[in-house]
Amino acid sequence: MKKILFVSSEAHPLIKTGGLADVSGSLPKALHELSQSIHLLLPKYQDLKITEPLRHRCMIRIDNREIHILETRLPDVHVPVWLVDYPPFFDLPGNPYSDAQGHPWEDNLERFTLFCKVATEIAMDRAHLEWKADVVHCNDWQSGLVPALLNLEKNRPASVFTIHNLAYQGLYPAEKFPTLNLPKQLWKPECLEFFGMLSMIKGGLVHADHITTVSPSYALEIQTSEFGYGLEGLLHHKQESLSGIINGIDTKVWDPKTDEHLVQNYNFNTIKEKNANKIALQEQLSLPINKDIPVFGLISRLVEQKGIDLVLECLPEMLTLSVQFILLGSGSPDFEQRLHNLALLHPNKLSVTIGYNESLAHLIEAGVDIFLMPSRFEPCGLNQLYSQRYGTIPIVRKTGGLIDTIEDALPETLANNTATGVAFHDASAGSLMEAIKRAMILFYNKATWKKLQANCMSKDFSWEKSAKEYLSLYAKLLD
Ligand code: ADP
Ligand code: GLC
Protein backbone atom coordinates (compact mmCIF):
# COMPACT_ATOMS: atom_id res chain seq x y z
CA MET A 1 0.00 0.00 0.00
CA LYS A 2 1.40 3.40 -0.97
CA LYS A 3 0.81 6.69 0.80
CA ILE A 4 -0.23 9.20 -1.80
CA LEU A 5 -0.80 12.90 -1.25
CA PHE A 6 -3.02 14.19 -4.07
CA VAL A 7 -2.69 17.97 -4.27
CA SER A 8 -5.33 19.91 -6.18
CA SER A 9 -7.02 23.31 -6.15
CA GLU A 10 -10.52 21.86 -6.76
CA ALA A 11 -12.33 18.54 -6.39
CA HIS A 12 -15.91 17.53 -7.14
CA PRO A 13 -18.31 17.59 -5.29
CA LEU A 14 -16.59 19.91 -2.81
CA ILE A 15 -15.79 22.67 -5.28
CA LYS A 16 -15.67 22.74 -9.08
CA THR A 17 -14.92 25.12 -11.91
CA GLY A 18 -14.05 22.53 -14.58
CA GLY A 19 -12.70 19.11 -15.43
CA LEU A 20 -9.82 19.30 -12.93
CA ALA A 21 -12.42 18.99 -10.18
CA ASP A 22 -14.02 15.95 -11.82
CA VAL A 23 -10.63 14.23 -12.00
CA SER A 24 -9.52 15.23 -8.49
CA GLY A 25 -12.80 13.95 -7.08
CA SER A 26 -12.80 10.64 -8.92
CA LEU A 27 -9.18 9.50 -9.43
CA PRO A 28 -8.43 9.48 -5.67
CA LYS A 29 -11.58 7.39 -5.18
CA ALA A 30 -10.34 4.89 -7.78
CA LEU A 31 -6.90 4.76 -6.15
CA HIS A 32 -8.55 4.22 -2.77
CA GLU A 33 -10.53 1.34 -4.27
CA LEU A 34 -7.21 -0.14 -5.38
CA SER A 35 -6.27 -0.23 -1.67
CA GLN A 36 -3.96 2.76 -1.58
CA SER A 37 -3.74 5.16 1.32
CA ILE A 38 -4.64 8.37 -0.44
CA HIS A 39 -5.18 11.82 1.05
CA LEU A 40 -6.54 14.69 -0.96
CA LEU A 41 -5.24 18.17 -0.13
CA LEU A 42 -7.35 21.25 -0.94
CA PRO A 43 -7.54 24.84 0.29
CA LYS A 44 -10.42 25.47 2.67
CA TYR A 45 -12.48 27.80 0.50
CA GLN A 46 -15.59 29.46 1.85
CA ASP A 47 -17.84 27.78 -0.72
CA LEU A 48 -16.72 24.19 -0.13
CA LYS A 49 -19.74 21.87 -0.03
CA ILE A 50 -18.76 19.76 2.96
CA THR A 51 -21.27 17.04 3.85
CA GLU A 52 -19.15 14.77 6.07
CA PRO A 53 -17.91 15.49 9.60
CA LEU A 54 -15.14 18.07 9.81
CA ARG A 55 -12.47 18.01 12.50
CA HIS A 56 -9.38 19.93 13.41
CA ARG A 57 -6.12 17.98 12.93
CA CYS A 58 -3.24 20.33 13.62
CA MET A 59 -1.78 23.79 13.38
CA ILE A 60 1.46 24.68 11.62
CA ARG A 61 3.30 27.94 11.26
CA ILE A 62 4.69 28.99 7.90
CA ASP A 63 6.10 32.45 7.11
CA ASN A 64 4.79 33.61 10.46
CA ARG A 65 1.27 32.59 9.53
CA GLU A 66 -0.85 30.26 11.59
CA ILE A 67 -2.36 27.58 9.35
CA HIS A 68 -4.81 24.96 10.50
CA ILE A 69 -5.25 21.58 8.85
CA LEU A 70 -8.82 20.30 8.99
CA GLU A 71 -9.96 16.86 7.95
CA THR A 72 -13.14 15.67 6.24
CA ARG A 73 -13.97 13.01 3.64
CA LEU A 74 -15.26 12.82 0.11
CA PRO A 75 -18.98 11.99 0.35
CA ASP A 76 -19.85 8.28 0.51
CA VAL A 77 -16.25 7.09 0.37
CA HIS A 78 -13.41 6.85 2.83
CA VAL A 79 -11.06 9.16 1.01
CA PRO A 80 -9.78 11.58 3.64
CA VAL A 81 -9.51 15.21 2.60
CA TRP A 82 -7.13 17.58 4.35
CA LEU A 83 -8.08 21.22 4.09
CA VAL A 84 -5.60 24.08 4.35
CA ASP A 85 -7.37 26.60 6.53
CA TYR A 86 -5.93 30.09 6.28
CA PRO A 87 -8.96 32.43 6.25
CA PRO A 88 -7.26 35.60 4.91
CA PHE A 89 -6.42 33.69 1.72
CA PHE A 90 -9.21 31.18 1.32
CA ASP A 91 -12.27 32.14 3.34
CA LEU A 92 -13.67 34.36 0.57
CA PRO A 93 -16.87 34.27 -1.49
CA GLY A 94 -16.37 33.35 -5.15
CA ASN A 95 -14.57 30.55 -6.90
CA PRO A 96 -11.06 29.24 -6.16
CA TYR A 97 -9.39 31.70 -8.51
CA SER A 98 -11.62 34.75 -8.86
CA ASP A 99 -14.18 36.90 -7.09
CA ALA A 100 -17.91 36.92 -7.77
CA GLN A 101 -17.36 39.36 -10.69
CA GLY A 102 -14.85 37.00 -12.28
CA HIS A 103 -11.75 39.08 -11.49
CA PRO A 104 -8.80 36.89 -10.45
CA TRP A 105 -7.92 37.31 -6.76
CA GLU A 106 -5.02 39.77 -6.60
CA ASP A 107 -3.04 37.57 -4.28
CA ASN A 108 -3.40 34.27 -6.19
CA LEU A 109 0.37 33.90 -6.31
CA GLU A 110 0.68 34.30 -2.54
CA ARG A 111 -2.36 32.05 -1.92
CA PHE A 112 -1.09 29.13 -3.96
CA THR A 113 2.53 29.58 -2.86
CA LEU A 114 1.34 29.10 0.70
CA PHE A 115 -0.75 26.10 -0.38
CA CYS A 116 2.37 24.53 -1.96
CA LYS A 117 4.45 25.17 1.15
CA VAL A 118 1.82 23.47 3.31
CA ALA A 119 1.66 20.50 0.90
CA THR A 120 5.44 20.14 1.18
CA GLU A 121 5.36 20.23 4.99
CA ILE A 122 2.64 17.56 5.07
CA ALA A 123 4.42 15.39 2.50
CA MET A 124 7.63 15.54 4.58
CA ASP A 125 5.73 14.64 7.76
CA ARG A 126 6.49 17.94 9.44
CA ALA A 127 2.86 18.90 10.03
CA HIS A 128 2.18 16.73 13.09
CA LEU A 129 -0.08 14.40 11.09
CA GLU A 130 2.18 11.38 11.56
CA TRP A 131 1.92 10.49 7.91
CA LYS A 132 4.73 10.69 5.42
CA ALA A 133 3.88 10.47 1.75
CA ASP A 134 5.55 7.97 -0.58
CA VAL A 135 4.27 9.87 -3.60
CA VAL A 136 3.01 13.41 -4.02
CA HIS A 137 0.74 13.81 -7.03
CA CYS A 138 0.38 17.47 -8.05
CA ASN A 139 -2.07 18.95 -10.53
CA ASP A 140 -1.72 22.10 -12.64
CA TRP A 141 0.11 25.33 -11.79
CA GLN A 142 -1.55 25.86 -8.41
CA SER A 143 0.57 23.00 -7.04
CA GLY A 144 3.58 23.60 -9.30
CA LEU A 145 5.93 24.70 -6.53
CA VAL A 146 5.57 21.43 -4.62
CA PRO A 147 7.97 19.33 -6.76
CA ALA A 148 10.45 22.23 -6.72
CA LEU A 149 10.34 22.50 -2.92
CA LEU A 150 10.48 18.73 -2.45
CA ASN A 151 13.58 18.56 -4.62
CA LEU A 152 15.47 20.52 -1.99
CA GLU A 153 14.72 17.87 0.67
CA LYS A 154 16.56 14.71 1.68
CA ASN A 155 14.49 11.49 1.95
CA ARG A 156 11.72 13.06 0.00
CA PRO A 157 8.69 11.34 -1.55
CA ALA A 158 8.53 10.79 -5.31
CA SER A 159 6.65 13.48 -7.22
CA VAL A 160 4.28 13.36 -10.17
CA PHE A 161 2.99 16.48 -11.87
CA THR A 162 -0.11 16.23 -14.06
CA ILE A 163 -0.77 18.87 -16.70
CA HIS A 164 -4.51 19.30 -17.15
CA ASN A 165 -4.13 22.41 -19.25
CA LEU A 166 -0.83 23.97 -20.30
CA ALA A 167 -2.59 27.19 -21.28
CA TYR A 168 -2.80 28.11 -17.59
CA GLN A 169 0.70 28.49 -16.17
CA GLY A 170 0.54 30.78 -13.15
CA LEU A 171 2.75 33.52 -14.64
CA TYR A 172 3.58 36.49 -12.39
CA PRO A 173 6.02 39.43 -12.50
CA ALA A 174 9.59 38.44 -11.58
CA GLU A 175 9.68 41.16 -8.90
CA LYS A 176 7.27 39.07 -6.86
CA PHE A 177 9.79 36.29 -6.27
CA PRO A 178 11.74 37.95 -3.41
CA THR A 179 8.46 38.66 -1.56
CA LEU A 180 7.51 34.97 -1.39
CA ASN A 181 10.20 33.77 1.00
CA LEU A 182 11.10 30.87 -1.30
CA PRO A 183 14.58 29.33 -1.41
CA LYS A 184 16.79 31.58 -3.58
CA GLN A 185 18.14 28.66 -5.61
CA LEU A 186 14.70 28.29 -7.23
CA TRP A 187 15.22 31.59 -9.05
CA LYS A 188 17.03 30.67 -12.26
CA PRO A 189 16.02 30.05 -15.88
CA GLU A 190 16.35 26.27 -15.35
CA CYS A 191 13.75 26.59 -12.61
CA LEU A 192 10.95 29.12 -11.96
CA GLU A 193 12.24 31.92 -14.19
CA PHE A 194 10.48 32.08 -17.56
CA PHE A 195 11.33 34.92 -19.94
CA GLY A 196 11.52 37.45 -17.13
CA MET A 197 8.42 36.09 -15.39
CA LEU A 198 7.88 33.81 -12.45
CA SER A 199 6.24 30.59 -13.70
CA MET A 200 4.50 28.39 -11.16
CA ILE A 201 3.97 25.55 -13.62
CA LYS A 202 7.70 25.35 -14.37
CA GLY A 203 8.30 24.30 -10.78
CA GLY A 204 6.36 21.13 -11.56
CA LEU A 205 7.62 20.60 -15.10
CA VAL A 206 11.30 21.00 -14.22
CA HIS A 207 11.36 19.19 -10.88
CA ALA A 208 8.74 16.44 -10.87
CA ASP A 209 10.14 12.93 -11.15
CA HIS A 210 7.51 12.31 -13.80
CA ILE A 211 5.10 14.51 -15.78
CA THR A 212 1.81 13.16 -16.99
CA THR A 213 -0.87 14.78 -19.02
CA VAL A 214 -4.44 13.67 -19.45
CA SER A 215 -4.25 12.00 -22.88
CA PRO A 216 -1.49 10.44 -24.99
CA SER A 217 -2.20 12.77 -27.94
CA TYR A 218 -1.90 15.91 -25.80
CA ALA A 219 1.40 14.57 -24.41
CA LEU A 220 2.74 14.70 -27.98
CA GLU A 221 1.05 17.99 -28.90
CA ILE A 222 2.59 19.95 -26.02
CA GLN A 223 6.04 19.13 -27.35
CA THR A 224 5.29 21.30 -30.41
CA SER A 225 5.32 25.09 -30.70
CA GLU A 226 1.62 25.12 -31.63
CA PHE A 227 0.53 23.79 -28.21
CA GLY A 228 3.63 24.28 -26.02
CA TYR A 229 3.36 28.02 -25.14
CA GLY A 230 7.15 28.28 -25.15
CA LEU A 231 7.52 25.25 -22.88
CA GLU A 232 7.74 22.75 -25.78
CA GLY A 233 11.57 22.63 -25.64
CA LEU A 234 11.58 21.78 -21.95
CA LEU A 235 8.81 19.20 -22.41
CA HIS A 236 10.55 17.61 -25.38
CA HIS A 237 13.77 17.45 -23.39
CA LYS A 238 11.87 15.63 -20.64
CA GLN A 239 10.06 13.25 -23.03
CA GLU A 240 11.48 10.17 -21.29
CA SER A 241 9.64 11.18 -18.12
CA LEU A 242 6.50 12.53 -19.80
CA SER A 243 3.49 10.38 -20.65
CA GLY A 244 -0.23 10.64 -21.30
CA ILE A 245 -2.79 8.75 -19.20
CA ILE A 246 -6.34 9.20 -20.37
CA ASN A 247 -8.89 10.42 -17.79
CA GLY A 248 -11.62 8.14 -16.56
CA ILE A 249 -14.98 9.36 -15.26
CA ASP A 250 -16.98 8.85 -12.09
CA THR A 251 -19.32 6.18 -13.44
CA LYS A 252 -21.61 6.55 -10.41
CA VAL A 253 -22.12 10.29 -10.82
CA TRP A 254 -22.52 9.97 -14.61
CA ASP A 255 -24.82 7.01 -15.12
CA PRO A 256 -28.07 7.33 -17.12
CA LYS A 257 -29.47 4.32 -15.22
CA THR A 258 -29.37 6.09 -11.85
CA ASP A 259 -28.74 9.81 -12.50
CA GLU A 260 -31.08 11.74 -10.18
CA HIS A 261 -31.01 14.82 -12.38
CA LEU A 262 -32.86 13.06 -15.20
CA VAL A 263 -36.64 12.93 -15.47
CA GLN A 264 -36.34 9.40 -16.85
CA ASN A 265 -33.49 6.94 -16.29
CA TYR A 266 -32.53 4.55 -19.08
CA ASN A 267 -29.92 2.19 -20.43
CA PHE A 268 -29.26 0.93 -23.93
CA ASN A 269 -32.09 -1.62 -23.75
CA THR A 270 -34.54 1.14 -22.84
CA ILE A 271 -32.95 3.84 -25.03
CA LYS A 272 -36.37 5.00 -26.29
CA GLU A 273 -36.95 6.45 -22.83
CA LYS A 274 -34.06 8.86 -23.40
CA ASN A 275 -36.67 10.91 -25.30
CA ALA A 276 -38.50 11.78 -22.08
CA ASN A 277 -35.42 13.78 -21.10
CA LYS A 278 -35.42 15.49 -24.50
CA ILE A 279 -39.02 16.57 -24.04
CA ALA A 280 -38.41 17.70 -20.46
CA LEU A 281 -35.47 19.77 -21.63
CA GLN A 282 -37.53 21.38 -24.42
CA GLU A 283 -40.29 22.13 -21.94
CA GLN A 284 -37.94 23.54 -19.30
CA LEU A 285 -36.14 25.76 -21.83
CA SER A 286 -39.31 26.85 -23.67
CA LEU A 287 -38.39 25.28 -26.99
CA PRO A 288 -41.11 23.70 -29.17
CA ILE A 289 -41.71 20.10 -28.05
CA ASN A 290 -40.56 17.82 -30.84
CA LYS A 291 -38.98 14.45 -30.22
CA ASP A 292 -38.04 13.90 -33.87
CA ILE A 293 -35.94 16.99 -34.50
CA PRO A 294 -32.17 16.64 -33.96
CA VAL A 295 -31.24 18.56 -30.81
CA PHE A 296 -27.63 19.68 -30.41
CA GLY A 297 -26.07 20.46 -27.03
CA LEU A 298 -22.98 22.20 -25.72
CA ILE A 299 -21.83 22.64 -22.09
CA SER A 300 -18.63 24.52 -21.62
CA ARG A 301 -16.49 27.26 -20.24
CA LEU A 302 -17.05 29.92 -22.90
CA VAL A 303 -13.42 30.51 -23.83
CA GLU A 304 -11.41 30.45 -27.02
CA GLN A 305 -10.01 26.95 -26.21
CA LYS A 306 -13.47 25.45 -26.69
CA GLY A 307 -13.99 26.73 -30.25
CA ILE A 308 -16.93 28.94 -29.24
CA ASP A 309 -16.00 31.37 -32.02
CA LEU A 310 -16.47 28.53 -34.54
CA VAL A 311 -19.89 27.77 -33.10
CA LEU A 312 -20.86 31.45 -33.30
CA GLU A 313 -19.79 31.52 -36.93
CA CYS A 314 -21.80 28.37 -37.73
CA LEU A 315 -24.97 29.22 -35.84
CA PRO A 316 -26.63 31.48 -38.45
CA GLU A 317 -26.43 28.72 -41.10
CA MET A 318 -27.15 25.95 -38.62
CA LEU A 319 -30.32 27.68 -37.47
CA THR A 320 -31.70 27.71 -41.03
CA LEU A 321 -31.88 23.90 -40.74
CA SER A 322 -34.53 21.98 -38.90
CA VAL A 323 -32.64 21.67 -35.59
CA GLN A 324 -32.61 22.88 -32.00
CA PHE A 325 -29.50 23.93 -30.13
CA ILE A 326 -29.13 24.02 -26.34
CA LEU A 327 -26.11 25.71 -24.82
CA LEU A 328 -25.05 26.04 -21.18
CA GLY A 329 -21.91 27.88 -20.20
CA SER A 330 -20.18 30.90 -18.82
CA GLY A 331 -16.94 32.69 -19.46
CA SER A 332 -15.91 35.49 -21.81
CA PRO A 333 -18.45 38.34 -21.58
CA ASP A 334 -18.13 38.84 -25.34
CA PHE A 335 -19.08 35.22 -26.13
CA GLU A 336 -21.87 35.36 -23.53
CA GLN A 337 -23.32 38.51 -25.08
CA ARG A 338 -23.16 37.28 -28.70
CA LEU A 339 -24.77 33.96 -27.81
CA HIS A 340 -27.46 35.69 -25.81
CA ASN A 341 -28.24 38.03 -28.73
CA LEU A 342 -28.55 35.13 -31.16
CA ALA A 343 -30.88 33.30 -28.77
CA LEU A 344 -33.15 36.37 -28.70
CA LEU A 345 -33.32 36.26 -32.50
CA HIS A 346 -34.09 32.52 -32.64
CA PRO A 347 -36.22 31.69 -29.58
CA ASN A 348 -37.68 28.56 -31.21
CA LYS A 349 -34.38 27.03 -32.12
CA LEU A 350 -31.66 28.26 -29.79
CA SER A 351 -31.64 28.18 -26.01
CA VAL A 352 -28.68 29.79 -24.22
CA THR A 353 -28.29 29.49 -20.46
CA ILE A 354 -25.45 31.58 -19.09
CA GLY A 355 -24.15 30.34 -15.76
CA TYR A 356 -23.02 27.20 -14.02
CA ASN A 357 -25.74 24.60 -13.44
CA GLU A 358 -24.76 21.06 -12.61
CA SER A 359 -28.25 19.61 -12.68
CA LEU A 360 -29.03 21.12 -16.10
CA ALA A 361 -25.67 19.81 -17.38
CA HIS A 362 -26.79 16.23 -16.56
CA LEU A 363 -30.20 16.73 -18.18
CA ILE A 364 -28.59 18.15 -21.33
CA GLU A 365 -26.23 15.17 -21.60
CA ALA A 366 -29.27 12.88 -21.47
CA GLY A 367 -31.76 15.00 -23.42
CA VAL A 368 -29.89 16.11 -26.53
CA ASP A 369 -29.05 13.87 -29.48
CA ILE A 370 -25.72 15.33 -30.51
CA PHE A 371 -23.06 17.00 -28.35
CA LEU A 372 -20.68 19.61 -29.80
CA MET A 373 -17.01 19.86 -28.79
CA PRO A 374 -15.23 21.81 -31.53
CA SER A 375 -12.23 22.58 -29.26
CA ARG A 376 -9.14 24.29 -30.67
CA PHE A 377 -7.18 22.20 -28.19
CA GLU A 378 -8.39 19.75 -25.56
CA PRO A 379 -6.02 18.05 -23.09
CA CYS A 380 -8.61 15.33 -22.46
CA GLY A 381 -12.18 16.63 -22.32
CA LEU A 382 -14.83 14.95 -20.21
CA ASN A 383 -18.13 15.92 -21.80
CA GLN A 384 -17.51 13.72 -24.84
CA LEU A 385 -17.09 10.82 -22.38
CA TYR A 386 -20.28 11.70 -20.49
CA SER A 387 -22.11 12.03 -23.84
CA GLN A 388 -21.09 8.57 -25.01
CA ARG A 389 -22.23 7.05 -21.74
CA TYR A 390 -25.62 8.75 -22.19
CA GLY A 391 -26.03 7.59 -25.81
CA THR A 392 -25.57 11.15 -27.04
CA ILE A 393 -23.31 11.25 -30.09
CA PRO A 394 -20.40 13.70 -29.91
CA ILE A 395 -19.06 15.86 -32.73
CA VAL A 396 -15.43 16.66 -31.91
CA ARG A 397 -12.45 18.33 -33.47
CA LYS A 398 -9.48 16.03 -33.90
CA THR A 399 -7.26 17.34 -31.14
CA GLY A 400 -5.75 16.04 -27.87
CA GLY A 401 -7.95 13.75 -25.85
CA LEU A 402 -10.77 14.05 -28.37
CA ILE A 403 -8.61 12.09 -30.85
CA ASP A 404 -7.99 9.42 -28.22
CA THR A 405 -11.61 8.95 -27.13
CA ILE A 406 -13.75 9.27 -30.28
CA GLU A 407 -13.75 7.12 -33.42
CA ASP A 408 -15.08 8.99 -36.44
CA ALA A 409 -18.11 7.36 -38.09
CA LEU A 410 -16.73 6.13 -41.42
CA PRO A 411 -17.86 3.15 -43.48
CA GLU A 412 -15.11 1.04 -41.93
CA THR A 413 -15.67 2.02 -38.29
CA LEU A 414 -19.42 1.67 -38.72
CA ALA A 415 -18.92 -1.80 -40.17
CA ASN A 416 -16.67 -2.99 -37.36
CA ASN A 417 -18.75 -1.34 -34.61
CA THR A 418 -16.05 1.03 -33.35
CA ALA A 419 -17.59 4.33 -34.54
CA THR A 420 -18.57 6.58 -31.62
CA GLY A 421 -18.95 10.05 -33.07
CA VAL A 422 -18.20 12.51 -35.83
CA ALA A 423 -14.71 14.00 -35.93
CA PHE A 424 -13.41 16.86 -38.08
CA HIS A 425 -9.94 18.22 -38.62
CA ASP A 426 -9.73 21.92 -39.47
CA ALA A 427 -10.49 24.54 -36.84
CA SER A 428 -12.85 26.32 -39.23
CA ALA A 429 -16.57 27.02 -39.28
CA GLY A 430 -16.77 25.29 -42.68
CA SER A 431 -15.39 22.02 -41.31
CA LEU A 432 -17.61 22.20 -38.24
CA MET A 433 -20.66 22.83 -40.42
CA GLU A 434 -19.78 19.84 -42.59
CA ALA A 435 -19.49 17.66 -39.47
CA ILE A 436 -22.88 18.92 -38.26
CA LYS A 437 -24.49 17.96 -41.57
CA ARG A 438 -22.77 14.57 -41.52
CA ALA A 439 -24.14 13.95 -38.02
CA MET A 440 -27.63 14.91 -39.19
CA ILE A 441 -27.50 12.39 -42.04
CA LEU A 442 -26.51 9.71 -39.53
CA PHE A 443 -29.26 10.84 -37.15
CA TYR A 444 -31.96 10.33 -39.76
CA ASN A 445 -30.71 6.83 -40.50
CA LYS A 446 -32.29 5.24 -37.44
CA ALA A 447 -30.48 1.88 -37.66
CA THR A 448 -27.06 3.49 -37.99
CA TRP A 449 -27.81 5.91 -35.16
CA LYS A 450 -28.77 3.09 -32.85
CA LYS A 451 -25.58 1.29 -33.73
CA LEU A 452 -23.57 4.39 -32.88
CA GLN A 453 -25.40 4.67 -29.55
CA ALA A 454 -24.70 1.01 -28.82
CA ASN A 455 -21.00 1.46 -29.55
CA CYS A 456 -20.85 4.51 -27.28
CA MET A 457 -22.86 3.06 -24.41
CA SER A 458 -20.94 -0.19 -24.30
CA LYS A 459 -17.55 1.49 -23.81
CA ASP A 460 -15.79 1.35 -20.45
CA PHE A 461 -15.03 4.86 -19.15
CA SER A 462 -14.28 3.85 -15.56
CA TRP A 463 -11.01 4.85 -13.90
CA GLU A 464 -9.93 1.27 -13.39
CA LYS A 465 -7.45 1.01 -16.25
CA SER A 466 -6.01 4.53 -15.91
CA ALA A 467 -5.80 4.36 -12.11
CA LYS A 468 -3.73 1.20 -12.52
CA GLU A 469 -1.47 3.06 -14.94
CA TYR A 470 -0.91 5.73 -12.28
CA LEU A 471 -0.17 3.00 -9.74
CA SER A 472 2.45 1.38 -11.94
CA LEU A 473 3.98 4.79 -12.53
CA TYR A 474 4.19 5.42 -8.75
CA ALA A 475 5.72 1.95 -8.29
CA LYS A 476 8.31 2.62 -10.99
CA LEU A 477 9.29 5.92 -9.36
CA LEU A 478 9.65 4.32 -5.94
CA ASP A 479 11.81 1.49 -7.24
P1 ADP B 1 -12.48 21.94 -18.90
O1 ADP B 1 -11.92 21.34 -17.67
O2 ADP B 1 -11.43 22.39 -19.87
O3 ADP B 1 -13.47 23.01 -18.64
P2 ADP B 1 -13.70 19.30 -19.34
O4 ADP B 1 -14.49 18.78 -20.49
O5 ADP B 1 -12.57 18.49 -18.88
O6 ADP B 1 -13.27 20.79 -19.72
O7 ADP B 1 -14.64 19.43 -18.07
C1 ADP B 1 -15.62 20.39 -17.91
C2 ADP B 1 -16.51 19.99 -16.77
O8 ADP B 1 -17.21 21.13 -16.30
C3 ADP B 1 -17.57 18.99 -17.16
O9 ADP B 1 -17.92 18.21 -16.04
C4 ADP B 1 -18.73 19.91 -17.57
O10 ADP B 1 -19.97 19.28 -17.51
C5 ADP B 1 -18.61 20.97 -16.53
N1 ADP B 1 -19.14 22.28 -16.92
C6 ADP B 1 -18.58 23.21 -17.72
N2 ADP B 1 -19.35 24.30 -17.81
C7 ADP B 1 -20.45 24.06 -17.06
C8 ADP B 1 -21.63 24.81 -16.74
N3 ADP B 1 -21.82 26.03 -17.23
N4 ADP B 1 -22.53 24.24 -15.92
C9 ADP B 1 -22.33 23.00 -15.42
N5 ADP B 1 -21.25 22.25 -15.68
C10 ADP B 1 -20.32 22.77 -16.49
C1 GLC C 1 -8.53 20.65 -18.21
C2 GLC C 1 -8.68 20.41 -19.70
C3 GLC C 1 -9.63 19.30 -20.05
C4 GLC C 1 -9.46 18.11 -19.13
C5 GLC C 1 -9.55 18.54 -17.68
C6 GLC C 1 -9.38 17.38 -16.71
O1 GLC C 1 -9.33 21.61 -17.69
O2 GLC C 1 -9.01 21.59 -20.38
O3 GLC C 1 -9.43 18.91 -21.39
O4 GLC C 1 -10.44 17.14 -19.40
O5 GLC C 1 -8.55 19.47 -17.41
O6 GLC C 1 -8.16 16.72 -16.86
Side-chain angles (χ1 to χ4, degrees):
M1 191 206 288
K2 289 177 199 64
K3 291 197 225 125
I4 305 155
L5 183 66
F6 196 91
V7 186
S8 179
S9 55
E10 49 181 285
H12 179 82
L14 299 175
I15 188 126
K16 167 166 167 179
T17 70
L20 171 62
D22 291 11
V23 172
S24 304
S26 53
L27 173 57
K29 252 200 253 183
L31 290 167
H32 171 81
E33 276 156 23
L34 292 170
S35 308
Q36 307 303 306
S37 161
I38 183 147
H39 283 72
L40 178 60
L41 186 71
L42 283 176
K44 178 155 187 321
Y45 306 110
Q46 190 175 90
D47 290 353
L48 282 183
K49 289 194 200 85
I50 298 172
T51 53
E52 304 297 312
L54 181 68
R55 67 180 175 123
H56 185 264
R57 283 300 307 269
C58 62
M59 189 275 279
I60 50 172
R61 198 166 261 290
I62 294 176
D63 297 339
N64 224 9
R65 294 179 167 122
E66 219 176 76
I67 295 129
H68 295 268
I69 308 294
L70 313 180
E71 182 172 314
T72 182
R73 283 199 318 244
L74 286 179
D76 307 328
V77 275
H78 284 276
V79 176
V81 183
W82 283 330
L83 301 171
V84 176
D85 187 23
Y86 185 64
F89 281 176
F90 301 121
D91 192 12
L92 308 161
N95 87 22
Y97 322 114
S98 45
D99 64 20
Q101 282 70 47
H103 305 301
W105 299 111
E106 269 178 22
D107 53 359
N108 270 342
L109 173 62
E110 289 77 7
R111 298 167 77 227
F112 289 108
T113 297
L114 181 72
F115 181 56
C116 290
K117 288 183 181 182
V118 175
T120 307
E121 292 306 293
I122 292 178
M124 293 302 298
D125 198 15
R126 291 194 296 247
H128 328 293
L129 290 165
E130 277 146 52
W131 186 91
K132 184 167 185 222
D134 299 314
V135 180
V136 182
H137 189 152
C138 302
N139 296 276
D140 276 353
W141 72 263
Q142 296 84 353
S143 53
L145 293 180
V146 181
L149 290 170
L150 283 175
N151 243 7
L152 304 171
E153 303 280 352
K154 289 203 183 81
N155 291 326
R156 66 169 177 86
S159 59
V160 172
F161 184 81
T162 297
I163 306 169
H164 294 264
N165 195 333
L166 195 61
Y168 302 97
Q169 301 176 4
L171 286 178
Y172 293 93
E175 302 77 71
K176 285 277 192 179
F177 182 78
T179 67
L180 299 171
N181 195 22
L182 285 167
K184 295 213 172 30
Q185 58 265 51
L186 296 184
W187 189 252
K188 50 187 177 195
E190 311 83 76
C191 192
L192 302 183
E193 213 180 320
F194 184 61
F195 298 109
M197 301 286 283
L198 157 59
S199 163
M200 294 280 278
I201 203 169
K202 264 189 84 188
L205 301 184
V206 172
H207 295 284
D209 296 319
H210 194 92
I211 305 168
T212 67
T213 184
V214 288
S215 69
S217 289
Y218 192 60
L220 295 176
E221 287 174 349
I222 54 178
Q223 296 177 51
T224 67
S225 56
E226 192 183 347
F227 299 97
Y229 298 94
L231 290 162
E232 59 275 12
L234 167 64
L235 289 163
H236 188 63
H237 176 73
K238 294 205 70 170
Q239 60 175 309
E240 295 301 319
S241 45
L242 162 66
S243 56
I245 300 181
I246 199 83
N247 284 334
I249 66 171
D250 190 323
T251 48
K252 289 205 179 94
V253 174
W254 293 94
D255 184 352
K257 290 197 288 296
T258 52
D259 192 329
E260 287 169 1
H261 302 292
L262 311 193
V263 296
Q264 176 70 56
N265 293 112
Y266 60 94
N267 59 28
F268 180 68
N269 296 326
T270 57
I271 189 83
K272 272 208 169 105
E273 317 224 342
K274 185 178 189 300
N275 268 335
N277 297 297
K278 182 169 176 173
I279 290 166
L281 201 54
Q282 289 169 330
E283 238 166 37
Q284 185 176 325
L285 300 172
S286 309
L287 288 167
I289 310 285
N290 181 345
K291 73 176 175 39
D292 299 320
I293 197 170
V295 178
F296 291 76
L298 190 157
I299 305 163
S300 181
R301 293 184 292 120
L302 300 177
V303 294
E304 179 125 341
Q305 170 191 349
K306 303 293 181 181
I308 304 302
D309 53 325
L310 304 180
V311 174
L312 275 160
E313 225 179 305
C314 269
L315 271 171
E317 179 177 350
M318 197 177 164
L319 297 174
T320 61
L321 308 174
S322 178
V323 299
Q324 291 179 355
F325 191 123
I326 292 171
L327 183 144
L328 165 65
S330 65
S332 135
D334 175 53
F335 285 150
E336 289 183 358
Q337 190 61 54
R338 287 163 66 194
L339 286 164
H340 181 71
N341 291 347
L342 268 173
L344 289 179
L345 283 177
H346 303 275
N348 286 332
K349 288 194 169 176
L350 173 62
S351 153
V352 171
T353 307
I354 300 297
Y356 184 89
N357 184 335
E358 200 150 320
S359 183
L360 181 59
H362 283 248
L363 187 61
I364 292 176
E365 283 292 6
V368 305
D369 302 294
I370 301 163
F371 195 92
L372 279 190
M373 265 181 106
S375 306
R376 289 182 178 272
F377 70 93
E378 197 61 77
C380 176
L382 296 172
N383 277 314
Q384 83 281 12
L385 306 181
Y386 302 147
S387 297
Q388 290 176 79
R389 198 157 155 79
Y390 282 65
T392 294
I393 308 304
I395 294 183
V396 301
R397 195 172 94 74
K398 289 186 188 167
T399 182
L402 302 176
I403 298 177
D404 299 339
T405 56
I406 300 296
E407 277 298 330
D408 192 12
L410 299 170
E412 191 186 309
T413 56
L414 283 168
N416 66 17
N417 294 331
T418 55
T420 50
V422 173
F424 65 99
H425 188 272
D426 295 341
S428 70
S431 295
L432 171 57
M433 200 58 225
E434 218 175 283
I436 288 169
K437 288 179 182 160
R438 201 145 65 80
M440 285 176 70
I441 294 171
L442 292 165
F443 175 81
Y444 284 116
N445 182 333
K446 290 298 163 206
T448 307
W449 197 252
K450 203 154 177 207
K451 206 167 183 183
L452 274 174
Q453 288 178 313
N455 296 347
C456 288
M457 293 179 87
S458 59
K459 271 172 79 176
D460 177 10
F461 298 105
S462 74
W463 266 107
E464 207 184 319
K465 183 165 170 286
S466 297
K468 283 186 181 150
E469 282 184 53
Y470 279 112
L471 268 193
S472 22
L473 170 63
Y474 301 156
K476 195 179 99 193
L477 298 179
L478 290 175
D479 248 357

